[in-house]
């Protein structure tokens, strides 16, 4: 069974930084693209970033380019999102998801409040 | 960026009824790369349909997807109590990936 567990969310001041982590289990993590998707509570879904299996390719939504960095550690079955220069509009629940385009498994999310 | 517009915003139906949800794209979705997700309150989304019409693993055949180009439809043939939720479409034919605003299917 696919299990994705996010951590690292919390309250941060505008301009601050946070690093989100996602621990994966139940599947061969190194074989999958991975993504981050966010959702303002009560609102819709918004794709944030994705990363190729070996980390050699990444993509970002325009509003986070240059501020957020997605990375992974296949030895630790872990996905990360380094968020710098945070803004109020980054406030959301951040989900880790398996897949780069079709998202076949999701974590429960971690709340980031700026 | 492709904008996806879902309608209606809310669908009020009774268990056993048929639900028809629409997703319209601002431009043609390449190769019909359109997915549908279900989200229940307090839960993560779950993949239902990909490639416009292919059911994901474990999804009952009461869920079906259709459409091409700019117009797509998710149909739930007979609503079960657990089907009342919010449904999102998502296109992955071009970057950035985008989601529709969602359709809430509520109990009438």
């Amino acid at each position: 069974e696919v299990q994705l567990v996010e951590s690292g969310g919390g309250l941060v001041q505008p301009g601050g930084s946070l690093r989100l982590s996602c621990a994966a289990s139940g599947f061969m993590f190194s074989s999958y693209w991975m993504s981050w998707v966010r959702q303002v509570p009560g609102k819709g879904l918004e794709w944030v970033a994705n990363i190729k299996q070996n980390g050699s390719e990444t993509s970002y939504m325009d509003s986070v380019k240059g501020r957020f960095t997605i990375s992974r550690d296949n030895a630790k079955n872990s996905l990360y999102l380094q968020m710098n220069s945070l803004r109020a509009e980054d406030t959301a629940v951040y989900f880790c998801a398996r897949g780069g385009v079709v998202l076949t498994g999701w974590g429960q999310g971690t709340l980031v409040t700026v | 960026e492709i904008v996806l517009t879902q309608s209606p915003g809310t669908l009020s139906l009774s268990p056993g009824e048929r639900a028809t949800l629409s997703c319209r794209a601002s431009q043609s979705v390449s190769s019909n790369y359109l997915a549908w997700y279900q989200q229940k309150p307090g839960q993560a989304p779950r993949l239902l349909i990909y490639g416009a019409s292919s059911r994901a693993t474990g999804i009952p055949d009461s869920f079906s997807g259709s459409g091409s180009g700019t117009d797509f439809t998710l149909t739930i043939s007979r609503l079960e109590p657990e089907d009342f939720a919010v449904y999102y479409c998502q296109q992955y034919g071009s970057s950035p990936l985008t989601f529709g605003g969602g359709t809430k299917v509520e109990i009438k």
Side-chain angles (χ1 to χ4, degrees), chain A residues 49-71:
Chain A
N50 59 20
I51 185 168
K52 195 175 180 178
Q53 290 91 331
N54 62 3
S56 62
E57 289 183 38
T58 58
S59 294
Y60 299 90
M61 64 181 297
D62 281 349
S63 66
V64 308
K65 283 179 184 175
R67 299 190 299 124
F68 290 11
T69 303
I70 188 172
S71 63

Side-chain angles (χ1 to χ4, degrees), chain A residues 29-36 47-60 69-74 78-81 96-101 103, chain B residues 97:
Chain A
F29 179 75
S30 59
S31 296
Y32 288 84
W33 279 76
M34 295 293 294
S35 298
W36 287 99
W47 170 77
V48 175
N50 59 20
I51 185 168
K52 195 175 180 178
Q53 290 91 331
N54 62 3
S56 62
E57 289 183 38
T58 58
S59 294
Y60 299 90
T69 303
I70 188 172
S71 63
R72 63 192 297 161
D73 185 336
N74 288 341
S78 293
L79 178 71
Y80 306 102
L81 186 68
C96 162
R98 185 178 77 170
V101 288
L103 306 174
Chain B
L97 309 181

Side-chain angles (χ1 to χ4, degrees), chain B residues 47-95:
Chain B
L47 176 67
L48 299 174
I49 301 286
Y50 63 94
S53 60
S54 297
R55 272 187 300 277
T57 303
I59 301 304
D61 58 10
S62 56
F63 289 89
S64 62
S66 63
S68 63
T70 60
D71 288 298
F72 299 87
T73 300
L74 175 70
T75 302
I76 311 170
S77 60
R78 189 177 167 82
L79 282 165
E80 300 289 343
E82 60 269 24
D83 298 334
F84 291 90
V86 179
Y87 293 84
Y88 294 97
C89 59
Q90 176 230 337
Q91 68 81 25
Y92 53 99
S94 64
S95 187

Side-chain angles (χ1 to χ4, degrees), chain A residues 9-32:
Chain A
L11 177 64
V12 62
Q13 293 297 312
S17 298
L18 275 179
R19 187 194 197 206
L20 306 184
S21 299
C22 171
S25 61
F27 66 101
M28 191 164 293
F29 179 75
S30 59
S31 296
Y32 288 84

Side-chain angles (χ1 to χ4, degrees), chain B residues 4-7 21-25 34 36 70-73 89:
Chain B
L4 299 177
T5 302
Q6 292 187 240
S7 61
L21 288 66
S22 173
C23 176
R24 179 162 291 176
L34 193 287
W36 291 91
T70 60
D71 288 298
F72 299 87
T73 300
C89 59

Side-chain angles (χ1 to χ4, degrees), chain A residues 89-102:
Chain A
E89 54 265 35
D90 296 319
T91 294
V93 174
Y94 285 73
F95 295 100
C96 162
R98 185 178 77 170
V101 288
V102 178

